[in-house]
Amino acid sequence: MNTKQKRISRRIGAFVTGAAVSLLLSSATFAADVTTIKVLNWQPGGPEYWAALVEAFETKHPDIKVELETVPFDRYAEVQGPYIATRSGPDVMEQNAGLELFDRRMGYIELSDDVLAAGDDLLGRVGGCLGYDLSNACYGLPFGLQGNVMYYNKQVLSAAGLDPENPPTTWEDFGAACDAINAIDKTCLALGMTGPFPAYWSFPEIARNFLTEDDIRAVLAGDMPWTDPKMVSILTAMAEIPQKGWSNSNAPSISMLPDATDIFASGNAGFAGTIIADAVNWAAFGEALGDENLGAMRWPAIVPEAPLAKSFSGVESSVFGVTSWSEKPEAAAEFVKFIAGVENGNLLTSLGGGIPLNSKVDPALFPKSEALSQIREIIAKPTIHVGVLLSGQEVDALARGWQEVALGRLTVEDWVGRMQVALEDSPGKN
């Protein structure tokens, strides 16, 4: 190498070294500018959807990194409780809309008008606002519609000699169907009684037969005593399900998710009363059983002439809010706004098996499914979801009481008494 070549080589080396140093400094600066937020959630819609959600958010906000803490739904309260008590932990938390959110609002900040404006395209967002009133303080924004239906397995119905295209619509016909399904050694209604699921998935569907919308608002206000004959009728009808042998014998000792839903997904039950979105929806059951074998219907009517008997118990699905202790509220608020946006709505529709609330979602993204088509018809006539209007004390007493009634350790009369005590001990309703 001659002298000139050596000089050129040294210059190139110096340039490369300088560029490398600049790149390292730039990377360090970039790393310092990135804000990491932690999001506590139970992963509604499944892991594929959530991976896409986080990727889309971080692409849109390259200065914000998301770390997820995902907890199973039935353990969520026990994980979240210590965070609220110690005022530490995640920057964003998921919560069921309604009283569950209102009871835990000390863990959230009131959302500003700027953040709430991100929900202007949503078909509904009152479930994040105190008293279901947009003029009150709002602590979270939703992203999808949630509510209850009953799924049925057409293969099981056919094997039991029932018409798979015409499932039972009345309580009496449902009982006859259960007798036929039990006769082929299958479970009629896959059921789990532990945890909060009885309050959110079963109670509202029985309650629609006995309550009016004014009654439901009275439940929210704490003005509907459990000793009222209508409320007693609800508990009496719930007690009939295990007493008549319509559910699996181990129902008192298992939860709906995942235990009872696994009974249905494995093909060993004719019916399962669950939800339209999140993990145990039409998409998950369709994948397990085959879309051609899955149907969705309203719960059979106990009082067919009741005003709400043919309505859908609907609610905004879980909401997301900024924690009251977060030291990164601006970045956390950006995530909450993204949750409510059309981009996430499209992801929920195409990947998460959910029913989006954003009105600008592309309808062509809805997957082809008979059960989903049935659900979209059912949700056209909504009513208030009374389950999310129960306090934490009532939710716990409902589940524990149903277990004991099913085991023959508690009378319905005593169950009513426990529910009334739970109501009177509910701080949010007094």
Side-chain angles (χ1 to χ4, degrees):
M1 181 181 295
N2 60 35
T3 303
K4 183 177 180 180
Q5 288 173 326
K6 289 179 179 178
R7 284 200 299 269
I8 292 173
S9 178
R10 283 196 296 270
R11 289 173 183 172
I12 292 173
F15 173 78
V16 170
T17 301
V21 170
S22 297
L23 180 60
L24 287 171
L25 289 172
S26 175
S27 298
T29 302
F30 175 76
D33 289 342
V34 172
T35 299
T36 298
I37 59 171
K38 297 182 179 180
V39 178
L40 182 67
N41 69 96
W42 59 76
Q43 209 170 70
E48 181 186 6
Y49 158 64
W50 268 85
L53 186 164
V54 170
E55 181 181 2
F57 174 79
E58 292 181 343
T59 299
K60 188 173 183 178
H61 298 278
D63 57 335
I64 304 175
K65 177 177 173 56
V66 176
E67 290 185 0
L68 300 178
E69 181 180 0
T70 301
V71 180
F73 178 73
D74 60 346
R75 291 190 54 246
Y76 192 80
E78 68 183 73
V79 172
Q80 184 192 43
Y83 286 141
I84 295 177
T86 59
R87 296 184 58 77
S88 64
D91 303 284
V92 175
M93 294 192 300
E94 183 175 11
Q95 201 74 64
N96 274 327
L99 269 225
E100 187 176 298
L101 172 66
F102 307 155
D103 281 350
R104 300 172 192 173
R105 64 184 180 275
M106 71 290 295
Y108 297 85
I109 63 170
E110 182 179 344
L111 296 182
S112 65
D113 290 341
D114 171 66
V115 178
L116 291 175
D120 286 348
D121 292 329
L122 297 177
L123 297 173
R125 57 179 177 84
V126 296
C129 306
L130 285 179
Y132 282 76
D133 186 340
L134 291 175
S135 66
N136 292 333
C138 300
Y139 296 92
L141 281 177
F143 61 111
L145 180 66
Q146 188 57 282
N148 308 104
V149 294
M150 185 174 283
Y151 294 97
Y152 56 95
N153 185 332
K154 295 181 181 182
Q155 286 185 315
V156 173
L157 268 60
S158 293
L162 303 169
D163 184 350
E165 302 305 324
N166 291 287
T169 58
T170 67
W171 205 240
E172 182 179 0
D173 289 343
F174 185 70
C178 284
D179 291 341
I181 292 170
N182 289 344
I184 61 169
D185 294 324
K186 297 278 188 181
T187 293
C188 180
L189 178 65
L191 185 64
M193 296 179 180
T194 68
F197 300 107
Y200 298 140
W201 293 2
S202 300
F203 170 74
E205 301 315 294
I206 303 297
R208 285 190 295 104
N209 293 272
F210 303 103
L211 303 181
T212 65
E213 289 203 351
D214 285 342
D215 293 331
I216 293 175
R217 291 188 178 90
V219 170
L220 170 62
D223 294 334
M224 174 67 77
W226 284 91
T227 53
D228 186 286
K230 294 180 178 181
M231 303 299 276
V232 174
S233 294
I234 297 170
L235 298 185
T236 300
M238 290 179 69
E240 286 183 1
I241 295 173
Q243 289 171 348
K244 291 186 174 182
W246 295 353
S247 57
N248 38 294
S249 59
N250 64 344
S253 61
I254 66 172
S255 70
M256 275 301 300
L257 179 66
D259 302 320
T261 54
D262 283 349
I263 295 173
F264 181 75
S266 66
N268 288 309
F271 301 91
T274 72
I275 48 180
I276 65 171
D278 296 355
V280 284
N281 60 5
W282 57 271
F285 288 145
E287 182 177 352
L289 300 173
D291 286 326
E292 70 280 5
N293 298 317
L294 181 69
M297 65 186 215
R298 294 184 184 86
W299 278 56
I302 302 171
V303 186
E305 66 275 13
L308 302 181
K310 296 182 180 179
S311 297
F312 166 69
S313 296
V315 65
E316 293 100 337
S317 61
S318 57
V319 301
F320 286 80
V322 179
T323 58
S324 55
W325 55 81
S326 175
E327 296 179 354
K328 308 161 188 175
E330 294 83 6
E334 289 301 322
F335 186 82
V336 171
K337 291 194 287 186
F338 185 83
I339 282 285
V342 65
E343 187 173 359
N344 184 43
N346 285 334
L347 290 174
L348 178 68
T349 305
S350 57
L351 296 177
I355 310 293
L357 278 176
N358 194 291
S359 60
K360 295 185 178 180
V361 164
D362 182 359
L365 293 175
F366 279 104
K368 304 297 182 185
S369 161
E370 180 183 347
L372 176 59
S373 297
Q374 291 171 316
I375 288 169
R376 294 182 71 185
E377 290 181 11
I378 291 170
I379 66 177
K381 188 179 179 183
T383 190
I384 304 169
H385 190 295
V386 68
V388 300
L389 306 185
L390 300 181
S391 66
Q393 290 85 346
E394 289 170 294
V395 167
D396 185 63
L398 189 72
R400 292 179 186 275
W402 202 12
Q403 290 174 284
E404 293 189 47
V405 167
L407 293 169
R409 299 174 182 171
L410 189 72
T411 65
V412 172
E413 182 181 4
D414 289 337
W415 190 16
V416 170
R418 286 192 188 180
M419 294 304 302
Q420 184 61 28
V421 170
L423 171 60
E424 293 169 0
D425 287 345
S426 302
K429 292 190 172 187
N430 295 300

